Amino acid sequence: MAAATAPPPAAVATTLSGLMRCQNIRSSRPRAFYARCASSNASAEAAESRKGGHGGTRLEEAVPVGEGRSRVDAWISARLGGGGVSRARVQASIRAGLVAVNGRPVSKVSHTVKGGDLVSCTVSELQPLRAEAEDIPLDIVYEDDHVLVVNKPAHMVVHPAPGNAKGTLVNAILHHCKISTFTCLARSSAGDECPDSTDEDTDVFHVDQFAAEDVSSEVRNALVRPGIVHRLDKGTSGLLVVAKDEHSHARLAEQFKLHTIRRVYISLTCGAPNPNSGRIEASIARDPNNRIRMTAIAGSGHRYARNAASRYKVREVFAGGGSALVEWRLETGRTHQIRAHAKYIGIPLLGDETYGGTQSMALSLLRPRSPSKYHSGLSNLLSKVDRPCLHAASLGFKHPRSGKVLEFSCPPPDDFLEVLGELRRVTSRSSDAPNGDGVFR
């Protein structure tokens, strides 16, 4: 069960240590922080958005001479973002054919503009994809009138999309907040596993009663995750913050953009990194051979790669280096960043078949380094691992209204802990303790 406390930043390492030591302890979650969901004005706000809002807002401006090249969506967003127009909303406008460069419509959000180009944009109207409220249990860590922090289980998709509009975190939030329907722009081309957007793309919060036939085909390809300020992959468990109003969404999105949100992940890896701690700076781009996978690239020469940086620290080493418990801190928020960076340094996450962390690879590293009496148990356990062993263990941000720094932490779920426990069992602590601080001992 997730912890509902807000410890100071200095206590984070201690908190995580306690979470890992007490892996089998589950306690009742205090309800003192809970508040009624603020949804009474949702329809009125949505109606106001349809009457005016940002839909129809126009921009016609030349890129200053001498300015370097940049993506058209980023360039427009930088000029309209101060007025509350999100980058995802700009991308929806591009895909709807409402953006032109030098008089010619552009269809790609990655289209490049340079000094002297004349850019014109009409912000698209919000078009709905209907998501129904569903009675799905939520592990709520914290809630007030403005934000909601949840401990997402593995295998739950965060946001709805055409063909995948049920069983998502958004559907569960609708039920929790007593909102019958949720409307959003959604894409259908790549699916949840590897969207074109990243944690740093901002989304539109919009609630209303719409009929499915109101959705225009032109904007179904745009991605907007209502209220979801950042995302976790389907297979990743852990903490995620949800905005309950547009002001909170904008303020949280700004923190993500400025990299002031503190996120700590823990993972189990195939092999152990050397050295025990370090910083990985390798740009990330879509793998040209597999659209559901990203790839980390040294340098910045790749046309479509985006800068990405991660810091890691080994917390425990198992079976003489056959596996490790690794802590990750993100400096950027790219799609599959930890998974791609882990593969890049040769330690794919255990259970991450997409990036090479297969059962056979894990066993090839663990068996030669562990007593034979454990081989059968390891094989049986690893055959049940059906997702990357990655968990968002800690999350910190400034409250969008009060400005107070909030810090949350939660232990990994049972499937992660079961593998962790077995790895500890087959490991000789005296010979495999890392040179680090051993905080999870």
Side-chain angles (χ1 to χ4, degrees), residues 71 73-74 87 91 109-110 195-202 225 256-257 259 280-286 294-310 332-335 337 340-341:
R71 285 171 52 129
D73 62 336
R87 183 167 174 180
Q91 291 175 342
V109 299
S110 59
D196 287 329
S197 68
T198 73
D199 284 353
E200 295 175 354
D201 289 328
T202 55
R225 296 182 296 277
F256 273 98
K257 182 178 180 180
H259 310 304
I280 305 166
E281 186 168 8
S283 299
I284 290 179
R286 190 177 302 281
M294 308 300 284
T295 184
I297 304 168
S300 56
H302 193 282
R303 180 179 178 185
Y304 298 111
R306 304 182 71 185
N307 177 62
S310 308
T332 56
R334 309 306 183 200
T335 301
Q337 178 170 318
H341 275 175

Side-chain angles (χ1 to χ4, degrees), residues 347-365:
I347 53 159
L349 305 188
L350 196 153
D352 195 350
E353 303 259 344
T354 301
Y355 288 89
T358 61
Q359 177 189 357
S360 59
M361 180 179 185
L363 289 175
S364 71
L365 293 168

Side-chain angles (χ1 to χ4, degrees), residues 93-108:
S93 306
I94 293 171
R95 293 185 174 110
L98 299 175
V99 173
V101 176
N102 298 324
R104 295 184 177 182
V106 297
S107 58
K108 294 184 177 180

Side-chain angles (χ1 to χ4, degrees), residues 197-277:
S197 68
T198 73
D199 284 353
E200 295 175 354
D201 289 328
T202 55
D203 308 325
V204 173
F205 185 94
H206 187 58
V207 181
D208 196 12
Q209 300 281 349
F210 277 97
E213 57 268 22
D214 291 332
V215 182
S216 67
S217 59
E218 289 82 5
V219 297
R220 277 187 181 272
N221 291 327
L223 172 61
V224 178
R225 296 182 296 277
I228 307 297
V229 188
H230 61 128
R231 68 184 293 275
L232 297 176
D233 291 334
K234 178 180 178 180
T236 303
S237 58
L239 295 171
L240 186 143
V241 60
V242 179
K244 295 171 72 174
D245 56 70
E246 289 198 54
H247 172 86
S248 298
H249 187 279
R251 299 288 78 78
L252 289 170
E254 183 69 13
Q255 292 181 54
F256 273 98
K257 182 178 180 180
L258 296 175
H259 310 304
T260 57
I261 297 277
R262 193 189 64 78
R263 291 170 287 174
V264 180
Y265 295 75
I266 54 173
S267 70
L268 295 173
T269 59
C270 295
N274 186 21
N276 280 336
S277 63

Side-chain angles (χ1 to χ4, degrees), residues 97-399:
L98 299 175
V99 173
V101 176
N102 298 324
R104 295 184 177 182
V106 297
S107 58
K108 294 184 177 180
V109 299
S110 59
H111 181 91
T112 301
V113 294
K114 61 183 183 304
D117 284 345
L118 179 63
V119 178
S120 61
C121 169
T122 301
V123 177
S124 65
E125 299 289 344
L126 285 172
Q127 300 291 334
L129 171 68
R130 189 172 188 172
E132 302 285 349
E134 294 182 67
D135 188 2
I136 303 171
L138 282 175
D139 185 1
I140 298 173
V141 179
Y142 174 84
E143 182 175 11
D144 60 28
D145 288 337
H146 309 289
V147 297
L148 181 69
V149 178
V150 299
N151 179 22
K152 186 188 86 66
H155 307 299
M156 175 181 272
V157 176
V158 171
H159 54 84
N164 188 35
K166 292 183 178 296
T168 72
L169 180 64
V170 165
N171 297 106
I173 290 171
L174 293 183
H175 181 271
H176 175 75
C177 291
K178 305 296 187 286
I179 301 170
S180 59
T181 59
F182 207 61
T183 63
C184 62
L185 301 177
R187 56 169 296 143
S188 58
S189 57
D192 173 76
E193 181 62 19
C194 191
D196 287 329
S197 68
T198 73
D199 284 353
E200 295 175 354
D201 289 328
T202 55
D203 308 325
V204 173
F205 185 94
H206 187 58
V207 181
D208 196 12
Q209 300 281 349
F210 277 97
E213 57 268 22
D214 291 332
V215 182
S216 67
S217 59
E218 289 82 5
V219 297
R220 277 187 181 272
N221 291 327
L223 172 61
V224 178
R225 296 182 296 277
I228 307 297
V229 188
H230 61 128
R231 68 184 293 275
L232 297 176
D233 291 334
K234 178 180 178 180
T236 303
S237 58
L239 295 171
L240 186 143
V241 60
V242 179
K244 295 171 72 174
D245 56 70
E246 289 198 54
H247 172 86
S248 298
H249 187 279
R251 299 288 78 78
L252 289 170
E254 183 69 13
Q255 292 181 54
F256 273 98
K257 182 178 180 180
L258 296 175
H259 310 304
T260 57
I261 297 277
R262 193 189 64 78
R263 291 170 287 174
V264 180
Y265 295 75
I266 54 173
S267 70
L268 295 173
T269 59
C270 295
N274 186 21
N276 280 336
S277 63
R279 181 177 184 271
I280 305 166
E281 186 168 8
S283 299
I284 290 179
R286 190 177 302 281
D287 189 328
N289 300 314
N290 185 342
R291 279 193 58 80
I292 70 167
R293 186 171 62 201
M294 308 300 284
T295 184
I297 304 168
S300 56
H302 193 282
R303 180 179 178 185
Y304 298 111
R306 304 182 71 185
N307 177 62
S310 308
R311 294 184 182 273
Y312 72 88
K313 184 173 184 178
V314 175
R315 291 305 189 181
E316 291 185 55
V317 176
F318 309 110
S323 182
L325 176 68
V326 181
E327 176 186 293
W328 301 84
R329 295 173 185 262
L330 299 182
E331 295 183 18
T332 56
R334 309 306 183 200
T335 301
H336 294 186
Q337 178 170 318
I338 292 174
R339 299 166 66 187
H341 275 175
K343 178 179 173 61
Y344 179 74
I345 63 172
I347 53 159
L349 305 188
L350 196 153
D352 195 350
E353 303 259 344
T354 301
Y355 288 89
T358 61
Q359 177 189 357
S360 59
M361 180 179 185
L363 289 175
S364 71
L365 293 168
L366 290 167
R367 278 178 167 169
R369 297 173 171 86
S370 60
S372 58
K373 64 180 180 179
Y374 294 121
H375 290 180
S376 176
L378 278 171
S379 296
N380 291 336
L381 180 60
L382 293 179
S383 68
K384 301 175 185 177
V385 177
D386 58 357
R387 57 111 174 179
C389 288
L390 180 63
H391 176 70
S394 186
L395 176 67
F397 56 89
K398 282 188 178 181
H399 192 279

Side-chain angles (χ1 to χ4, degrees), residues 39-50:
S39 61
S40 59
N41 295 324
S43 295
E45 291 172 358
E48 181 63 26
S49 178
R50 291 200 310 279

